[in-house]
Amino acid sequence: MSKPKVVVLGAGYAGLVATRRLTQKLSADEAEIVLINKHNYHYESTWLHEVAAGTINPNQARFMLTDAVNPKRVRLIYDTVTEVNRDEQRVILDNSEVSYDYLVFALGFVSNTFGIPGMDEHAFAITDIDSSRHIAEHIEYQFAQYSTDENKNDDQLTILVGGGGFTGIEFVGELAEKVPELCQKYDIDRSKARIINVEAAPSILPVFDDDLVSYAKKALEDRGVEFRIGAPIKECTEEGFIVGDDKELIKAGTVVWTGGVTGNPVLAKSGYELFKGKVNVGPDLRPEGEENVFILGDCSWTLDQETGRPYPPTGQLATQEGAQVAENIAALINNQPIQDFVYSNKGTVASLGLSDGIGNVLNGNKLRGKSAAAMKKVVDDRSLFLVGGPKVLLKKGKFRPF
Ligand code: FAD
Ligand code: NAD
């Protein structure tokens, strides 16, 4: 009898951790393992706001897949998944097709603009290395062009960020580092460059207590970030955002949407029933009616059994799901019982630039300032270790002092 084929879609947090763990759990005689990813590298999605602001080099946030998995053990396919034919157990790629016995669906997130007119056309989004690098290049180009322009328009130096959730706030924190550097490089008066965050809700970062939110807001304001809170963006045009019921136009040279994410559209193309863009999975991370498919990370909703609410989509969750699914696939192949997924929340930290941050960590402890920033680097390095191993951590880790 031929050995079972396990196919993993996506080399992000969930997919890469699942692949690495599968190679530890199953010998080459027990299963064939295939990892399919758009690129030949993994990127740390959780570092993309830094790439987008230009505070880190894109190469620091990525590493080659061959640095993390042995290509003699795992068949690596660099191609784009377009659809999964679930009836025939085949994955359709741009350039070929691959059959599977077990499937791990971990294709991550895309930006969600909620149908806001003009947002897809006129705003940038932080979704992968290329889109993030493009934002950093665009911002620098605005400053360079302004510096040589005879008829200067100060709006060109405004950076508008739509959405004051984690991504939006961490991004403006990085911009507060980068903008003074760009002003110095291009001989521009710092007061001419504006960073504006626009948030519809009454507060930024609703996950945190009021005192941490106030700390974050003031820390960013002190470094030149402006906030428009309780200001829903109604439309995005070539010139900027149209905000609120009175349809005020805020003009900018750079417009970035960080107002939300949703699951990969390949889910819909593969015929899954979606809830807010993702698939509901059971406690074993399988969608209803499929014994050999696991949907992980930002592609699924996993319910917290205690509260009955889905866990927020995070790298932390995706990493833990990847590890559990590898255990369960190995168990299925060896005719052993499988275990339900149990999430272990290690806390939440948001950076506010290089040396500032806020966080809730284990035992309900709150962090702010340098201690939170240091904790964020520990979290980032731990994540790098889990997805890439010790060699990748040594090459790409965040060891710089601040
Ligand atoms: P991803 O890590 O996004 O991986 C998906 C993989 O699939 C990628 O390699 C992608 O290239 C590949 N792929 C996509 N489509 C295709 C296709 N059609 N064919 C082939 N390959 C494809 N979470 C935290 O816990 N902590 C944080 O500090 C944090 N910071 C964040 C900062 C930013 C700027 C953003 C945007 C998110 C952040 N998150 C954070 C959330 C976290 O990044 C996601 O929840 C996490 O990446 C989800 O992991 P995943 O494995 O589902 O998908
Ligand atoms: P989000 O959904 O968490 O936040 C989006 C924000 O945009 C919300 O505050 C929302 O009110 C606002 N918004 C939506 N529509 C708007 C409109 N029309 N006008 C103005 N504001 C609008 O999205 P995110 O920040 O991209 O985060 C996505 C996921 O990634 C979350 O689960 C988050 O926990 C995770 N993440 C975690 C970290 C971290 O742990 N440090 C960092 C980044 C992202």
Side-chain angles (χ1 to χ4, degrees):
M1 210 178 89
S2 68
K3 57 189 173 187
K5 191 199 272 187
V6 184
V7 175
V8 180
L9 308 183
Y13 294 101
L16 192 48
V17 167
T19 304
R20 282 165 58 82
R21 190 62 73 95
L22 280 165
T23 62
Q24 291 158 5
K25 292 266 130 196
L26 292 166
S27 71
D29 291 336
E30 285 175 299
E32 179 184 353
I33 302 168
V34 181
L35 174 61
I36 302 174
N37 195 55
K38 218 183 246 187
H39 310 106
N40 60 359
Y41 57 84
H42 161 92
Y43 52 85
E44 291 287 292
S45 301
T46 58
W47 302 11
L48 289 177
H49 55 290
E50 295 165 83
V51 176
T55 48
I56 63 170
N57 184 305
N59 285 333
Q60 193 186 343
R62 66 175 170 178
F63 58 83
M64 302 304 284
L65 290 177
T66 47
D67 286 343
V69 290
N70 179 355
K72 288 189 182 139
R73 175 68 187 95
V74 177
R75 187 173 149 216
L76 292 166
I77 300 179
Y78 306 133
D79 204 345
T80 299
V81 179
T82 56
E83 189 184 332
V84 177
N85 182 327
R86 292 149 65 202
D87 293 334
E88 296 176 12
Q89 299 199 172
R90 278 186 301 119
V91 180
I92 320 297
L93 310 175
D94 268 355
N95 299 298
S96 64
E97 294 187 6
V98 178
S99 64
Y100 63 84
D101 298 303
Y102 295 93
L103 185 71
V104 178
F105 198 120
L107 293 175
F109 66 94
V110 293
S111 169
N112 187 1
T113 57
F114 304 106
I116 296 173
M119 199 61 87
D120 285 322
E121 295 82 350
H122 301 302
F124 293 106
I126 301 174
T127 54
D128 56 18
I129 287 283
D130 287 338
S131 66
S132 304
R133 175 177 31 212
H134 192 179
I135 295 170
E137 287 168 355
H138 175 88
I139 292 172
E140 177 139 8
Y141 181 71
Q142 300 308 301
F143 280 68
Q145 203 189 41
Y146 177 92
S147 70
T148 55
D149 209 333
E150 287 187 2
N151 302 309
K152 293 190 193 317
N153 173 1
D154 290 356
D155 291 335
Q156 190 172 7
L157 299 179
T158 298
I159 305 168
L160 257 183
V161 179
F166 276 95
T167 303
I169 295 306
E170 290 198 320
F171 180 48
V172 296
E174 294 302 312
L175 289 172
E177 307 277 346
K178 187 69 185 181
V179 162
E181 203 185 288
L182 289 173
C183 287
Q184 199 176 29
K185 181 170 176 185
Y186 293 103
D187 293 324
I188 294 168
D189 178 354
R190 169 68 186 87
S191 66
K192 294 208 179 293
R194 299 173 73 193
I195 304 165
I196 309 176
N197 182 261
V198 186
E199 167 57 50
S203 166
I204 56 167
L205 292 175
V207 168
F208 292 107
D209 298 347
D210 287 351
D211 59 334
L212 287 182
V213 171
S214 304
Y215 173 88
K217 187 162 170 282
K218 173 148 188 331
L220 291 169
E221 281 170 343
D222 287 349
R223 288 157 59 209
V225 177
E226 299 169 47
F227 287 96
R228 300 293 301 271
I229 291 175
I233 301 160
K234 304 284 186 179
E235 193 179 336
C236 182
T237 72
E238 268 181 8
E239 290 184 298
F241 286 149
I242 295 178
V243 171
D245 290 338
D246 53 358
K247 303 231 158 92
E248 180 198 354
L249 171 65
I250 310 177
K251 292 185 182 178
T254 305
V255 179
V256 182
W257 172 248
T258 58
V261 296
T262 190
N264 194 297
V266 173
L267 290 167
K269 282 197 87 184
S270 309
Y272 281 105
E273 190 182 353
L274 301 185
F275 301 89
K276 293 192 181 167
K278 305 182 189 196
V279 177
N280 284 340
V281 291
D284 55 14
L285 307 177
R286 292 186 287 194
E288 200 182 347
E290 283 182 292
E291 295 288 304
N292 59 340
V293 177
F294 296 80
I295 306 184
L296 318 188
D298 280 15
C299 284
S300 64
W301 294 117
T302 312
L303 282 196
D304 179 340
Q305 300 298 320
E306 273 178 28
T307 63
R309 296 171 55 135
Y311 293 115
T314 62
Q316 193 186 157
L317 178 71
T319 303
Q320 292 181 27
E321 289 183 344
Q324 180 65 54
V325 159
E327 301 281 339
N328 280 347
I329 290 176
L332 287 170
I333 287 173
N334 290 312
N335 295 314
Q336 300 290 320
I338 66 170
Q339 309 286 326
D340 282 351
F341 173 69
V342 180
Y343 179 50
S344 162
N345 188 351
K346 312 271 188 248
T348 305
V349 189
S351 63
L352 304 169
L354 180 62
S355 55
D356 203 355
I358 54 171
N360 291 320
V361 288
L362 288 176
N363 308 324
N365 283 337
K366 289 186 203 176
L367 297 177
R368 68 192 80 198
K370 284 200 163 83
S371 57
M375 180 58 82
K376 186 76 192 324
K377 285 178 185 39
V378 170
V379 171
D380 285 352
D381 283 343
R382 181 174 182 272
S383 146
L384 202 56
F385 177 77
L386 291 173
V387 286
K391 266 201 272 179
V392 168
L393 174 62
L394 284 174
K395 260 200 219 168
K396 308 280 176 171
K398 292 184 175 173
F399 305 116
R400 62 186 169 173
F402 55 83

